[in-house]
Amino acid sequence: QVQLVESGGGLVQAGGSLRLSCAASGSIFSTNVMGWYRQAPGKQRELVASITRGGDTNYADSVKGRFTISRDNAKTTVYLQMNSLKPEDTAVYYCNANLATVGSYTWNTYWGQGTQVTVSS
């Protein structure tokens, strides 16, 4: 069994910062792409940022220059540093990981339970 556990969400004023963390645990053989998605009320889930095992990153246009994704391969943990937060960043943020488990050795995608980020104006 694989679990992705997120932490770091909360309430912050516009212009503030938050740092999200997501730790993957279980019988993990290897991780590939890890990332963060978000879903605001009444909207579809969207990609915020992703990072490959080699460190290549991809960001949604709306967060470029404000958010930074990073990862610790040894700890199978991915982070999202969010600066200059805006009210429109308010959403539930979900961790996502493409990884292979011991015994299976096939790539599958896993999701965290989500963490709420609320930015007040």
Side-chain angles (χ1 to χ4, degrees):
Q1 286 280 34
V2 172
Q3 281 191 321
L4 301 182
V5 179
E6 300 128 333
S7 61
L11 172 65
V12 65
Q13 288 188 331
S17 299
L18 284 174
R19 187 183 192 225
L20 305 183
S21 299
C22 171
S25 63
S27 301
I28 298 169
F29 174 70
S30 182
T31 56
N32 191 4
V33 179
M34 301 183 77
W36 291 92
Y37 287 70
R38 67 185 181 187
Q39 187 167 19
K43 294 188 177 181
Q44 289 188 329
R45 190 173 297 190
E46 62 175 359
L47 173 69
V48 177
S50 64
I51 184 168
T52 68
R53 185 172 181 83
D56 294 328
T57 58
N58 180 45
Y59 293 94
D61 287 342
S62 59
V63 306
K64 283 181 181 176
R66 300 188 297 122
F67 292 9
T68 302
I69 190 169
S70 60
R71 63 187 285 172
D72 182 333
N73 288 330
K75 296 182 178 180
T76 58
T77 301
V78 63
Y79 306 95
L80 186 68
Q81 178 66 43
M82 305 185 293
N83 298 328
S84 302
L85 282 161
K86 304 175 180 179
E88 50 263 45
D89 294 319
T90 295
V92 177
Y93 283 70
Y94 296 91
C95 176
N96 170 281
N98 185 246
L99 55 87
T101 55
V102 174
S104 172
Y105 305 110
T106 58
W107 297 107
N108 289 290
T109 298
Y110 296 84
W111 292 91
Q113 80 284 357
T115 185
Q116 177 70 45
V117 171
T118 303
V119 184
S120 63
S121 58

